[in-house]
Amino acid sequence: MDRAGAAIRVQGLEKSFGQVSVLRGVDIDVARGSIFALLGSNGAGKTTLVKILSTLLKADAGRAEVNGFDVGRQAAGVRESISLTGQFAAVDEILTGRENLVMVARLRHLKNAGTIADDLLRRFSLTEAGARRVAAYSGGMRRRLDIAMSLAGNPPVIFLDEPTTGLDPEGRLEVWRAVRELASGGTTVLLTTQHLDEAEHLADRIAILHEGRILVNGTLDELRKLLPQATVEYVEKRPTLEDVFLALVTGEKR
Amino acid sequence: MNKHFAGDTAVLLGRSLRHIARSPDTIITTVITPIAMMLLFVYVLGGAIRTGTGSYVNYLLPGILIITIASGISYTAYRLFLDLQGGIFERFQSMPIARSAVLWSHVLTSVVANLISLVVVLLVALAMGFRTGADVLGWLAVAGILVLFTLALTWLAVIPGLTASSVDGASAFAYPLIFLPFVSSAFVPTESMPGPVRAFAENQPVTSIVDSLRALFAGQPVGSGIWIALAWCLGILAVAVAFAGLIYRRRVG
């Protein structure tokens, strides 16, 4: 097994649903401990690719390896290595935040599930909310809990499928912080997004998936070089609405 | 079988039981229809029904217990459907857990919830004058048949839970099951029914189960009817488990 090499390796992956071919030969390599952003519009095939890599779907052709395990033949090994956070917060609303974390830790067959749950609550600033039912959480809190649940047992590879879709700007920043923290701890993160700025802010490498194929794959600088030489223009830099919103909303706390 | 099957099922069972403990309305709505029917039949219609035995509530209770189970199991379809709709089902499937634990935890939850409902209905029946001559073995046999019947119908309910496209569709399938006891020996003796109806009533599962329960409650010998009852329960169980398993494996790939 190639421990030092790629955490995720995809070669010639194809998948169709009936007549619609969603993935038409996808190749990517994701280095260990990096954040890899898969950028694409709705229907580009991002979720399908993530589902194949997390063993929820079977590919029609091609190969995919996660943490050295083949997703088709060694699904159990893949499931030991990964954790998936889908587009919709996969949390149990009737349980409390802490109960959700304990449940996931037990399902990963970890000892001291309670301690692990308390640690994760602290890391994601959910300690106070831990005893409340998730039904009462805000969107950002749910997504943070969702990501926290993914971290129980420290799986080496994490898939985040559009982790900030449907979140307000503050919630988005909370999630970004969490993702950066993950990668700094050595976790490999593959995240999908349709927001260009999200890929720009978070990712070490960015691949653009379009109509089932990878159009480009590289660092932000490499992608920038694909465009014609920058021209110099003088523009007045005005604050964006997001800057204004965040300044007003978070200003009180500072 | 996966070495984590028992542990994983226990964790997920704990989760579903918390759901029930935090929304006891699922128990209340399950018992309300059977109790209302029992009141209606005993105090309104019962006087006109000739069963040939002493107390009508004694005659009626086995059928009411069957109706309780038939209405209780639709919550399994409902809860399973909600898990599939939200992301939590995919989370479980992408984790290193025993694959069948997800279904078994829902099925065992149904058994626990239905046993609670059955006890509530039984207590109401006792208050209405139900009396039994069954000894401990008789009670164990009654409990055994009811649990087996619950298992069989719950696995049946797993199928719409996995395949339905709406919440209403997932839980609506139980309605016909609730009416099956009406065309059986549950409320009136089958001898009073016209030929074809009587033939159906005497050869459908509810009649043999109800007759066996009635004999056990009365402390009488059950005869060969109990084997037919057990055969029906095991048969439905086997077919339902096979179909549910097939659909589940297709669904989770």
Side-chain angles (χ1 to χ4, degrees), chain A residues 152-178:
Chain A
N154 298 314
V157 179
I158 291 195
F159 299 113
L160 299 173
D161 191 14
E162 303 201 5
T164 58
T165 298
L167 291 188
D168 57 23
E170 262 188 297
R172 215 147 76 104
L173 290 182
E174 285 172 11
V175 169
W176 284 5
R177 259 198 300 279

PDB file of all heavy atoms in Angstrom, chain A residues 152-178:
ATOM      1  N   ALA A 152     -15.383  11.640  14.491  1.00  0.00           N
ATOM      2  CA  ALA A 152     -15.250  10.627  15.543  1.00  0.00           C
ATOM      3  C   ALA A 152     -14.371   9.500  15.017  1.00  0.00           C
ATOM      4  O   ALA A 152     -14.616   8.960  13.943  1.00  0.00           O
ATOM      5  CB  ALA A 152     -16.622  10.091  15.930  1.00  0.00           C
ATOM      6  N   GLY A 153     -13.332   9.184  15.759  1.00  0.00           N
ATOM      7  CA  GLY A 153     -12.441   8.111  15.333  1.00  0.00           C
ATOM      8  C   GLY A 153     -11.370   8.565  14.356  1.00  0.00           C
ATOM      9  O   GLY A 153     -10.597   7.745  13.877  1.00  0.00           O
ATOM     10  N   ASN A 154     -11.324   9.860  14.061  1.00  0.00           N
ATOM     11  CA  ASN A 154     -10.307  10.434  13.163  1.00  0.00           C
ATOM     12  C   ASN A 154     -10.075   9.648  11.877  1.00  0.00           C
ATOM     13  O   ASN A 154      -8.963   9.197  11.619  1.00  0.00           O
ATOM     14  CB  ASN A 154      -8.964  10.559  13.894  1.00  0.00           C
ATOM     15  CG  ASN A 154      -9.072  11.476  15.075  1.00  0.00           C
ATOM     16  OD1 ASN A 154      -9.647  12.555  14.964  1.00  0.00           O
ATOM     17  ND2 ASN A 154      -8.562  11.032  16.218  1.00  0.00           N
ATOM     18  N   PRO A 155     -11.098   9.471  11.047  1.00  0.00           N
ATOM     19  CA  PRO A 155     -10.854   8.791   9.772  1.00  0.00           C
ATOM     20  C   PRO A 155      -9.873   9.610   8.932  1.00  0.00           C
ATOM     21  O   PRO A 155      -9.934  10.838   8.961  1.00  0.00           O
ATOM     22  CB  PRO A 155     -12.243   8.736   9.118  1.00  0.00           C
ATOM     23  CG  PRO A 155     -13.026   9.803   9.794  1.00  0.00           C
ATOM     24  CD  PRO A 155     -12.476   9.942  11.173  1.00  0.00           C
ATOM     25  N   PRO A 156      -8.963   8.950   8.219  1.00  0.00           N
ATOM     26  CA  PRO A 156      -7.935   9.689   7.472  1.00  0.00           C
ATOM     27  C   PRO A 156      -8.470  10.453   6.262  1.00  0.00           C
ATOM     28  O   PRO A 156      -7.809  11.376   5.794  1.00  0.00           O
ATOM     29  CB  PRO A 156      -6.953   8.604   7.027  1.00  0.00           C
ATOM     30  CG  PRO A 156      -7.674   7.317   7.163  1.00  0.00           C
ATOM     31  CD  PRO A 156      -8.714   7.501   8.218  1.00  0.00           C
ATOM     32  N   VAL A 157      -9.641  10.061   5.749  1.00  0.00           N
ATOM     33  CA  VAL A 157     -10.177  10.735   4.557  1.00  0.00           C
ATOM     34  C   VAL A 157     -11.611  11.184   4.833  1.00  0.00           C
ATOM     35  O   VAL A 157     -12.422  10.414   5.347  1.00  0.00           O
ATOM     36  CB  VAL A 157     -10.185   9.790   3.341  1.00  0.00           C
ATOM     37  CG1 VAL A 157     -10.772  10.494   2.119  1.00  0.00           C
ATOM     38  CG2 VAL A 157      -8.783   9.286   3.032  1.00  0.00           C
ATOM     39  N   ILE A 158     -11.896  12.442   4.497  1.00  0.00           N
ATOM     40  CA  ILE A 158     -13.245  12.965   4.736  1.00  0.00           C
ATOM     41  C   ILE A 158     -13.814  13.550   3.458  1.00  0.00           C
ATOM     42  O   ILE A 158     -13.142  14.291   2.743  1.00  0.00           O
ATOM     43  CB  ILE A 158     -13.205  14.031   5.850  1.00  0.00           C
ATOM     44  CG1 ILE A 158     -12.877  13.319   7.156  1.00  0.00           C
ATOM     45  CG2 ILE A 158     -14.524  14.777   5.948  1.00  0.00           C
ATOM     46  CD1 ILE A 158     -13.146  14.117   8.364  1.00  0.00           C
ATOM     47  N   PHE A 159     -15.055  13.156   3.147  1.00  0.00           N
ATOM     48  CA  PHE A 159     -15.756  13.724   2.000  1.00  0.00           C
ATOM     49  C   PHE A 159     -16.778  14.725   2.504  1.00  0.00           C
ATOM     50  O   PHE A 159     -17.610  14.397   3.340  1.00  0.00           O
ATOM     51  CB  PHE A 159     -16.481  12.623   1.229  1.00  0.00           C
ATOM     52  CG  PHE A 159     -15.564  11.573   0.681  1.00  0.00           C
ATOM     53  CD1 PHE A 159     -15.599  10.276   1.161  1.00  0.00           C
ATOM     54  CD2 PHE A 159     -14.658  11.886  -0.319  1.00  0.00           C
ATOM     55  CE1 PHE A 159     -14.750   9.299   0.666  1.00  0.00           C
ATOM     56  CE2 PHE A 159     -13.804  10.918  -0.825  1.00  0.00           C
ATOM     57  CZ  PHE A 159     -13.846   9.632  -0.335  1.00  0.00           C
ATOM     58  N   LEU A 160     -16.703  15.921   1.978  1.00  0.00           N
ATOM     59  CA  LEU A 160     -17.691  16.936   2.329  1.00  0.00           C
ATOM     60  C   LEU A 160     -18.413  17.327   1.045  1.00  0.00           C
ATOM     61  O   LEU A 160     -17.827  17.971   0.173  1.00  0.00           O
ATOM     62  CB  LEU A 160     -17.003  18.163   2.945  1.00  0.00           C
ATOM     63  CG  LEU A 160     -16.215  17.932   4.233  1.00  0.00           C
ATOM     64  CD1 LEU A 160     -15.451  19.198   4.615  1.00  0.00           C
ATOM     65  CD2 LEU A 160     -17.153  17.534   5.362  1.00  0.00           C
ATOM     66  N   ASP A 161     -19.657  16.912   0.927  1.00  0.00           N
ATOM     67  CA  ASP A 161     -20.413  17.200  -0.292  1.00  0.00           C
ATOM     68  C   ASP A 161     -21.197  18.492  -0.087  1.00  0.00           C
ATOM     69  O   ASP A 161     -22.176  18.521   0.652  1.00  0.00           O
ATOM     70  CB  ASP A 161     -21.349  16.017  -0.592  1.00  0.00           C
ATOM     71  CG  ASP A 161     -21.953  16.119  -1.975  1.00  0.00           C
ATOM     72  OD1 ASP A 161     -21.461  16.940  -2.781  1.00  0.00           O
ATOM     73  OD2 ASP A 161     -22.915  15.390  -2.260  1.00  0.00           O
ATOM     74  N   GLU A 162     -20.752  19.548  -0.739  1.00  0.00           N
ATOM     75  CA  GLU A 162     -21.353  20.879  -0.613  1.00  0.00           C
ATOM     76  C   GLU A 162     -21.630  21.234   0.843  1.00  0.00           C
ATOM     77  O   GLU A 162     -22.775  21.435   1.239  1.00  0.00           O
ATOM     78  CB  GLU A 162     -22.644  20.948  -1.440  1.00  0.00           C
ATOM     79  CG  GLU A 162     -22.375  20.608  -2.896  1.00  0.00           C
ATOM     80  CD  GLU A 162     -23.451  21.129  -3.832  1.00  0.00           C
ATOM     81  OE1 GLU A 162     -24.349  21.839  -3.356  1.00  0.00           O
ATOM     82  OE2 GLU A 162     -23.370  20.833  -5.027  1.00  0.00           O
ATOM     83  N   PRO A 163     -20.554  21.350   1.628  1.00  0.00           N
ATOM     84  CA  PRO A 163     -20.749  21.522   3.072  1.00  0.00           C
ATOM     85  C   PRO A 163     -21.381  22.856   3.462  1.00  0.00           C
ATOM     86  O   PRO A 163     -21.874  22.980   4.564  1.00  0.00           O
ATOM     87  CB  PRO A 163     -19.338  21.404   3.641  1.00  0.00           C
ATOM     88  CG  PRO A 163     -18.439  21.777   2.517  1.00  0.00           C
ATOM     89  CD  PRO A 163     -19.131  21.307   1.274  1.00  0.00           C
ATOM     90  N   THR A 164     -21.371  23.834   2.578  1.00  0.00           N
ATOM     91  CA  THR A 164     -21.899  25.139   2.999  1.00  0.00           C
ATOM     92  C   THR A 164     -23.181  25.515   2.270  1.00  0.00           C
ATOM     93  O   THR A 164     -23.690  26.619   2.445  1.00  0.00           O
ATOM     94  CB  THR A 164     -20.862  26.257   2.764  1.00  0.00           C
ATOM     95  OG1 THR A 164     -20.518  26.258   1.374  1.00  0.00           O
ATOM     96  CG2 THR A 164     -19.624  26.032   3.594  1.00  0.00           C
ATOM     97  N   THR A 165     -23.722  24.611   1.457  1.00  0.00           N
ATOM     98  CA  THR A 165     -24.957  24.921   0.748  1.00  0.00           C
ATOM     99  C   THR A 165     -26.076  25.181   1.757  1.00  0.00           C
ATOM    100  O   THR A 165     -26.282  24.403   2.678  1.00  0.00           O
ATOM    101  CB  THR A 165     -25.344  23.747  -0.169  1.00  0.00           C
ATOM    102  OG1 THR A 165     -24.314  23.587  -1.126  1.00  0.00           O
ATOM    103  CG2 THR A 165     -26.657  24.004  -0.881  1.00  0.00           C
ATOM    104  N   GLY A 166     -26.747  26.293   1.563  1.00  0.00           N
ATOM    105  CA  GLY A 166     -27.885  26.605   2.436  1.00  0.00           C
ATOM    106  C   GLY A 166     -27.509  27.254   3.757  1.00  0.00           C
ATOM    107  O   GLY A 166     -28.358  27.411   4.624  1.00  0.00           O
ATOM    108  N   LEU A 167     -26.241  27.610   3.915  1.00  0.00           N
ATOM    109  CA  LEU A 167     -25.846  28.252   5.170  1.00  0.00           C
ATOM    110  C   LEU A 167     -25.764  29.766   4.997  1.00  0.00           C
ATOM    111  O   LEU A 167     -25.483  30.259   3.905  1.00  0.00           O
ATOM    112  CB  LEU A 167     -24.472  27.747   5.622  1.00  0.00           C
ATOM    113  CG  LEU A 167     -24.390  26.301   6.090  1.00  0.00           C
ATOM    114  CD1 LEU A 167     -23.025  26.042   6.683  1.00  0.00           C
ATOM    115  CD2 LEU A 167     -25.471  26.008   7.108  1.00  0.00           C
ATOM    116  N   ASP A 168     -25.978  30.502   6.076  1.00  0.00           N
ATOM    117  CA  ASP A 168     -25.787  31.950   6.009  1.00  0.00           C
ATOM    118  C   ASP A 168     -24.277  32.237   6.069  1.00  0.00           C
ATOM    119  O   ASP A 168     -23.480  31.344   6.362  1.00  0.00           O
ATOM    120  CB  ASP A 168     -26.563  32.655   7.132  1.00  0.00           C
ATOM    121  CG  ASP A 168     -26.172  32.151   8.509  1.00  0.00           C
ATOM    122  OD1 ASP A 168     -25.064  31.621   8.648  1.00  0.00           O
ATOM    123  OD2 ASP A 168     -26.984  32.289   9.432  1.00  0.00           O
ATOM    124  N   PRO A 169     -23.872  33.475   5.743  1.00  0.00           N
ATOM    125  CA  PRO A 169     -22.427  33.767   5.654  1.00  0.00           C
ATOM    126  C   PRO A 169     -21.667  33.390   6.914  1.00  0.00           C
ATOM    127  O   PRO A 169     -20.560  32.859   6.840  1.00  0.00           O
ATOM    128  CB  PRO A 169     -22.400  35.277   5.431  1.00  0.00           C
ATOM    129  CG  PRO A 169     -23.691  35.596   4.787  1.00  0.00           C
ATOM    130  CD  PRO A 169     -24.689  34.629   5.346  1.00  0.00           C
ATOM    131  N   GLU A 170     -22.249  33.624   8.069  1.00  0.00           N
ATOM    132  CA  GLU A 170     -21.561  33.268   9.311  1.00  0.00           C
ATOM    133  C   GLU A 170     -21.355  31.767   9.422  1.00  0.00           C
ATOM    134  O   GLU A 170     -20.274  31.292   9.777  1.00  0.00           O
ATOM    135  CB  GLU A 170     -22.394  33.732  10.505  1.00  0.00           C
ATOM    136  CG  GLU A 170     -21.940  35.035  11.086  1.00  0.00           C
ATOM    137  CD  GLU A 170     -22.696  35.294  12.371  1.00  0.00           C
ATOM    138  OE1 GLU A 170     -23.940  35.433  12.293  1.00  0.00           O
ATOM    139  OE2 GLU A 170     -22.056  35.346  13.417  1.00  0.00           O
ATOM    140  N   GLY A 171     -22.414  31.025   9.100  1.00  0.00           N
ATOM    141  CA  GLY A 171     -22.331  29.567   9.155  1.00  0.00           C
ATOM    142  C   GLY A 171     -21.263  29.056   8.213  1.00  0.00           C
ATOM    143  O   GLY A 171     -20.533  28.112   8.515  1.00  0.00           O
ATOM    144  N   ARG A 172     -21.167  29.721   7.055  1.00  0.00           N
ATOM    145  CA  ARG A 172     -20.177  29.338   6.062  1.00  0.00           C
ATOM    146  C   ARG A 172     -18.766  29.491   6.620  1.00  0.00           C
ATOM    147  O   ARG A 172     -17.924  28.611   6.474  1.00  0.00           O
ATOM    148  CB  ARG A 172     -20.347  30.228   4.833  1.00  0.00           C
ATOM    149  CG  ARG A 172     -20.074  29.539   3.545  1.00  0.00           C
ATOM    150  CD  ARG A 172     -20.956  30.098   2.473  1.00  0.00           C
ATOM    151  NE  ARG A 172     -20.477  31.412   2.039  1.00  0.00           N
ATOM    152  CZ  ARG A 172     -19.832  31.612   0.896  1.00  0.00           C
ATOM    153  NH1 ARG A 172     -19.564  30.594   0.107  1.00  0.00           N
ATOM    154  NH2 ARG A 172     -19.454  32.796   0.542  1.00  0.00           N
ATOM    155  N   LEU A 173     -18.513  30.620   7.275  1.00  0.00           N
ATOM    156  CA  LEU A 173     -17.181  30.845   7.838  1.00  0.00           C
ATOM    157  C   LEU A 173     -16.878  29.821   8.929  1.00  0.00           C
ATOM    158  O   LEU A 173     -15.750  29.347   9.051  1.00  0.00           O
ATOM    159  CB  LEU A 173     -17.079  32.267   8.409  1.00  0.00           C
ATOM    160  CG  LEU A 173     -17.080  33.376   7.350  1.00  0.00           C
ATOM    161  CD1 LEU A 173     -16.926  34.732   8.003  1.00  0.00           C
ATOM    162  CD2 LEU A 173     -15.954  33.153   6.339  1.00  0.00           C
ATOM    163  N   GLU A 174     -17.896  29.479   9.718  1.00  0.00           N
ATOM    164  CA  GLU A 174     -17.713  28.460  10.763  1.00  0.00           C
ATOM    165  C   GLU A 174     -17.249  27.153  10.137  1.00  0.00           C
ATOM    166  O   GLU A 174     -16.332  26.492  10.620  1.00  0.00           O
ATOM    167  CB  GLU A 174     -19.030  28.199  11.503  1.00  0.00           C
ATOM    168  CG  GLU A 174     -19.426  29.285  12.477  1.00  0.00           C
ATOM    169  CD  GLU A 174     -20.838  29.052  13.012  1.00  0.00           C
ATOM    170  OE1 GLU A 174     -21.402  27.958  12.782  1.00  0.00           O
ATOM    171  OE2 GLU A 174     -21.378  29.973  13.663  1.00  0.00           O
ATOM    172  N   VAL A 175     -17.915  26.769   9.048  1.00  0.00           N
ATOM    173  CA  VAL A 175     -17.566  25.505   8.387  1.00  0.00           C
ATOM    174  C   VAL A 175     -16.166  25.594   7.789  1.00  0.00           C
ATOM    175  O   VAL A 175     -15.382  24.647   7.897  1.00  0.00           O
ATOM    176  CB  VAL A 175     -18.615  25.151   7.313  1.00  0.00           C
ATOM    177  CG1 VAL A 175     -18.135  24.001   6.446  1.00  0.00           C
ATOM    178  CG2 VAL A 175     -19.937  24.798   7.975  1.00  0.00           C
ATOM    179  N   TRP A 176     -15.842  26.742   7.194  1.00  0.00           N
ATOM    180  CA  TRP A 176     -14.496  26.893   6.610  1.00  0.00           C
ATOM    181  C   TRP A 176     -13.422  26.712   7.663  1.00  0.00           C
ATOM    182  O   TRP A 176     -12.422  26.042   7.433  1.00  0.00           O
ATOM    183  CB  TRP A 176     -14.367  28.284   5.976  1.00  0.00           C
ATOM    184  CG  TRP A 176     -15.070  28.402   4.663  1.00  0.00           C
ATOM    185  CD1 TRP A 176     -15.850  27.442   4.086  1.00  0.00           C
ATOM    186  CD2 TRP A 176     -15.062  29.520   3.783  1.00  0.00           C
ATOM    187  NE1 TRP A 176     -16.353  27.896   2.898  1.00  0.00           N
ATOM    188  CE2 TRP A 176     -15.886  29.176   2.676  1.00  0.00           C
ATOM    189  CE3 TRP A 176     -14.463  30.771   3.810  1.00  0.00           C
ATOM    190  CZ2 TRP A 176     -16.102  30.042   1.623  1.00  0.00           C
ATOM    191  CZ3 TRP A 176     -14.682  31.637   2.746  1.00  0.00           C
ATOM    192  CH2 TRP A 176     -15.494  31.280   1.663  1.00  0.00           C
ATOM    193  N   ARG A 177     -13.657  27.326   8.829  1.00  0.00           N
ATOM    194  CA  ARG A 177     -12.693  27.174   9.922  1.00  0.00           C
ATOM    195  C   ARG A 177     -12.519  25.699  10.267  1.00  0.00           C
ATOM    196  O   ARG A 177     -11.401  25.216  10.432  1.00  0.00           O
ATOM    197  CB  ARG A 177     -13.186  27.923  11.169  1.00  0.00           C
ATOM    198  CG  ARG A 177     -12.514  29.278  11.373  1.00  0.00           C
ATOM    199  CD  ARG A 177     -12.679  29.773  12.799  1.00  0.00           C
ATOM    200  NE  ARG A 177     -14.072  29.937  13.205  1.00  0.00           N
ATOM    201  CZ  ARG A 177     -14.816  30.999  12.896  1.00  0.00           C
ATOM    202  NH1 ARG A 177     -14.311  31.979  12.185  1.00  0.00           N
ATOM    203  NH2 ARG A 177     -16.063  31.089  13.304  1.00  0.00           N
ATOM    204  N   ALA A 178     -13.654  24.989  10.351  1.00  0.00           N
ATOM    205  CA  ALA A 178     -13.598  23.570  10.712  1.00  0.00           C
ATOM    206  C   ALA A 178     -12.816  22.775   9.681  1.00  0.00           C
ATOM    207  O   ALA A 178     -11.994  21.912  10.020  1.00  0.00           O
ATOM    208  CB  ALA A 178     -15.012  23.013  10.847  1.00  0.00           C
TER     209      ALA A 178
END
